[in-house]
């Protein structure tokens, strides 16, 4: 059984201003996130087109991914990007059109990272394609952990693989070309979580995983966009997630009663010490409370 949730948030807390995008076609098992490259021309339209076109594809897109891109995605993506840019420019005042022309001359093309999967419950497998630093994470209830993107990575002294999210990224360009190479593959579905994230959220996820915070369960516990916005605000105040955010998280259940992966955790075990509230008289636990969401997450692990 596969269930999913998704959240999209601008760094300005306005979804209409985001350069990230996501689409989920749950019945078809198609999921995609994309992150428009800031130093390009209207990257948000590239990100949106890639996600929409992928999730609407018929058949089995990963049987020949290069041909799928060449025939079914890139030409339509270029057309959609051009149409969106033209519509935007037409909405501007004459003065702003002159400013926009200078911007277009500087950047010329849009670009976006992209991460997509197709889940086939009948075969028990998932296929994926990713380019750039948008990242696919697979976290099993059995302790399995893997990450997939095309940014460089290196192992630390403990053998943990760290993706470098500060380097120049690979991407799909609005003219139907790519910077860098695709990473494609497949993996068997296992009880646990599959998570698709754009770079700022992916960096946080990686760090939180290695810190033992189980970020996949934090994300799955969120129910609404307001809760996600509060969650992001908490981490942004601590220097994380300082960018647009796109998240798709899938929970994979094997149909049998699931055993708890985690022991009962106290608040101080779940979160680093610097996140703990100072000792003070207990206040009512309202949604506006600074640590309401943290308590909610801790209660989830303790129940």
């Amino acid at each position: 059984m596969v269930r999913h949730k998704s959240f999209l948030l601008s760094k300005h807390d306005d979804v209409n201003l985001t350069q990230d995008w996501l689409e989920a076609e749950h019945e078809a098992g198609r999921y995609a996130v994309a992150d428009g490259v800031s130093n390009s021309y209207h990257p948000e339209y590239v990100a949106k087109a890639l996600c929409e076109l992928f999730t609407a594809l018929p058949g089995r897109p990963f049987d020949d991914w290069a041909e799928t891109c060449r025939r079914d995605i890139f030409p339509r993506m270029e057309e959609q990007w051009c149409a969106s840019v033209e519509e935007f420019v037409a909405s501007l005042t004459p003065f702003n059109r002159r400013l926009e022309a200078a911007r277009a001359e500087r950047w010329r093309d849009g670009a976006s990272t992209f991460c997509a999967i197709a889940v086939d419950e009948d075969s028990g497998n998932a296929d994926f394609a990713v380019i750039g630093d948008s990242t696919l994470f697979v976290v099993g209830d059995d302790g399995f952990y893997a990450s997939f993107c095309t940014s460089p990575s290196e192992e630390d002294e403990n053998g943990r693989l760290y993706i470098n999210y500060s380097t120049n990224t690979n991407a799909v360009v609005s003219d139907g070309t790519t910077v860098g190479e695709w990473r494609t593959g497949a993996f068997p579905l296992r009880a646990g979580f599959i998570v698709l994230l754009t770079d700022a959220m992916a960096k946080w996820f990686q760090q939180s995983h290695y810190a033992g915070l189980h970020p996949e369960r934090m994300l799955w516990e969120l129910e609404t966009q307001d809760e996600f916005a509060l969650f992001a605000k908490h981490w942004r105040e601590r220097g994380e997630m300082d960018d647009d955010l796109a998240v798709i998280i899938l929970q994979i259940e094997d149909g049998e009663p699931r055993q708890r992966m985690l022991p009962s955790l106290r608040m101080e075990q779940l979160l680093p010490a610097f996140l703990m509230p100072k000792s003070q008289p207990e206040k009512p636990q309202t949604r506006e409370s600074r640590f309401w969401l943290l308590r909610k997450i801790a209660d989830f692990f303790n129940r």
Side-chain angles (χ1 to χ4, degrees):
M1 179 180 177
V2 178
R3 297 185 292 165
H4 84 286
K5 299 178 182 180
S6 62
F7 303 102
L8 182 65
L9 186 70
S10 165
K11 57 188 171 185
H12 306 291
D13 296 330
D14 183 349
V15 73
N16 295 316
L17 299 177
T18 183
Q19 292 181 340
D20 288 6
W21 200 256
L22 62 83
E23 292 287 340
E25 186 59 51
H26 189 63
E27 292 301 317
R30 305 280 178 79
Y31 309 89
V33 300
D35 180 1
V37 178
S38 295
N39 57 342
S40 68
Y41 187 59
H42 284 292
E44 67 277 15
Y45 299 141
V46 181
K48 186 173 186 288
L50 287 172
C51 291
E52 290 179 344
L53 291 168
F54 169 77
T55 53
L57 285 174
R60 298 171 57 89
F62 291 114
D63 284 351
D64 188 340
W65 179 244
E67 178 62 13
T68 296
C69 291
R70 185 195 67 79
R71 183 188 63 231
D72 299 321
I73 297 182
F74 288 173
R76 298 175 187 177
M77 178 266 298
E78 184 177 10
E79 291 175 2
Q80 191 167 321
W81 176 80
C82 289
S84 297
V85 169
E86 289 176 3
E87 182 180 358
F88 173 77
V89 172
S91 71
L92 299 176
T93 64
F95 175 76
N96 285 332
R97 287 181 194 173
R98 291 194 292 272
L99 297 179
E100 190 69 16
R103 184 181 172 202
E105 179 63 26
R106 179 183 182 187
W107 298 118
R108 296 183 180 273
D109 296 306
S112 177
T113 68
F114 185 61
C115 177
I117 64 170
V119 174
D120 186 345
E121 292 190 66
D122 292 334
S123 69
N125 292 298
D127 296 276
F128 71 88
V130 59
I131 189 167
D133 53 12
S134 291
T135 308
L136 170 66
F137 294 94
V138 182
V139 185
D141 286 354
D142 57 2
F144 177 85
Y145 170 81
S147 58
F148 305 95
C149 72
T150 65
S151 288
S153 58
E154 59 183 27
E155 289 188 358
D156 66 8
E157 64 277 7
N158 297 313
R160 297 177 297 194
L161 189 68
Y162 277 89
I163 298 166
N164 188 338
Y165 287 101
S166 62
T167 58
N168 292 331
T169 189
N170 301 328
V172 177
V173 184
S174 57
D175 63 0
T177 61
T178 61
V179 177
E181 300 293 330
W182 288 98
R183 182 174 183 180
T184 60
F187 55 89
L189 299 179
R190 63 191 338 122
F193 297 90
I194 300 172
V195 193
L196 291 75
L197 301 168
T198 50
D199 59 346
M201 200 94 196
K203 182 178 181 181
W204 164 83
F205 191 98
Q206 174 181 254
Q207 293 173 336
S208 298
H209 171 78
Y210 287 135
L213 298 183
H214 301 280
E216 71 284 357
R217 293 184 176 260
M218 289 187 187
L219 292 174
W220 187 253
E221 185 70 0
L222 302 174
E223 295 290 347
T224 67
Q225 181 67 26
D226 287 343
E227 288 184 7
F228 179 71
L230 181 61
F231 183 80
K233 179 181 179 183
H234 166 80
W235 290 101
R236 284 171 171 174
E237 289 174 348
R238 287 149 183 82
E240 304 286 345
M241 304 185 194
D242 185 22
D243 201 349
D244 299 331
L245 307 174
V247 180
I248 298 178
I249 179 167
L250 289 76
Q251 184 186 59
I252 313 298
E253 294 181 313
D254 55 16
E256 299 176 357
R258 298 181 60 188
Q259 293 183 345
R260 179 180 294 277
M261 182 180 70
L262 303 172
S264 178
L265 297 178
R266 299 189 306 275
M267 186 69 169
E268 62 268 23
Q269 292 175 303
L270 177 63
L271 297 168
F274 70 87
L275 295 183
M276 290 295 296
K278 297 179 180 179
S279 297
Q280 55 186 356
E282 185 69 19
K283 295 181 179 179
Q285 236 176 272
T286 66
R287 295 180 68 89
E288 290 74 24
S289 173
R290 182 179 182 185
F291 293 96
W292 169 80
L293 187 57
L294 298 182
R295 293 192 181 101
K296 186 173 187 291
I297 294 168
D299 289 343
F300 166 73
F301 288 117
N302 284 322
R303 66 182 179 214

